[in-house]
Amino acid sequence: LILFRAAALLLGEALLHSGAAQRLADALLGALPLAHWPAAAVIALACALAPNLTVLALARFAQGMGGSMMVPVGRLVLIRTVAKRDLVAASAWLLMPGIAGHILGPPIGGFIVTYFDWRWIFLINLPLAVLTVWLAVRWVPETRDPRPQGRFDVGGAVLASLALAGVTWALTDPA
């Protein structure tokens, strides 16, 4: 139950601060998330090589936090590079890999763990990360905002985090 609460809270936090991911990506990388994919590959490798459940859980946590930052950065690229009239269609294509993953993941994952080793579920991400970086370099334009506006509201983020923690605790408390 404590792990469920922690996972729910951390997922909510990641989604809550996804706007900060856009600003961070813009400030450090532009919207081209090249630094993310090598990090995702390293984390996937850490999952595959995890010597115990604690290391696996920590690496999976890192994977989840990184994954929660992918959508805001992808959305940022779309907003800056796609004409308004094509935005809905482009958004559908942005979401398609996630939808396909939910459809194809369970049978492929079941096949892998039945006939191979569970660690291959994570190792399969390594060539995908290389392919993704190659495709991003080839097809995704640099969209860094030369004049970023505003600043991250630390006080608001802290208050929203505390409110989210309270709601999560209340909804998961068995009493």
Side-chain angles (χ1 to χ4, degrees), residues 111-133:
F111 178 83
I112 289 171
V113 298
T114 299
Y115 297 106
F116 299 102
D117 185 49
W118 65 267
R119 296 175 189 278
W120 281 100
I121 289 175
F122 300 106
L123 293 173
I124 200 168
N125 290 321
L126 300 178
L128 292 175
V130 170
L131 176 65
T132 302
V133 169

Side-chain angles (χ1 to χ4, degrees), residues 27-55:
L28 300 178
L29 308 167
L32 187 58
L34 291 182
H36 176 269
W37 283 102
V42 169
I43 294 169
L45 185 61
C47 289
L49 300 176
N52 56 48
L53 187 57
T54 302
V55 173

Side-chain angles (χ1 to χ4, degrees), residues 3-89:
L3 285 177
F4 173 76
R5 285 182 181 162
L9 179 60
L10 291 171
L11 176 62
E13 286 294 317
L15 293 174
L16 175 68
H17 300 303
S18 65
Q22 288 180 346
R23 186 169 310 241
L24 183 64
D26 211 29
L28 300 178
L29 308 167
L32 187 58
L34 291 182
H36 176 269
W37 283 102
V42 169
I43 294 169
L45 185 61
C47 289
L49 300 176
N52 56 48
L53 187 57
T54 302
V55 173
L56 178 61
L58 290 172
R60 291 288 291 155
F61 167 73
Q63 262 189 332
M65 292 302 284
S68 72
M69 301 303 173
M70 288 175 22
V71 171
V73 173
R75 189 174 54 217
L76 183 65
V77 171
L78 288 183
I79 288 170
R80 290 185 179 168
T81 60
V82 175
K84 282 188 179 184
R85 69 179 187 283
D86 299 326
L87 203 52
V88 172

Side-chain angles (χ1 to χ4, degrees), residues 131-146:
L131 176 65
T132 302
V133 169
W134 181 78
L135 288 171
V137 168
R138 185 165 170 82
W139 295 103
V140 177
E142 173 59 58
T143 60
R144 185 184 313 253
D145 187 358

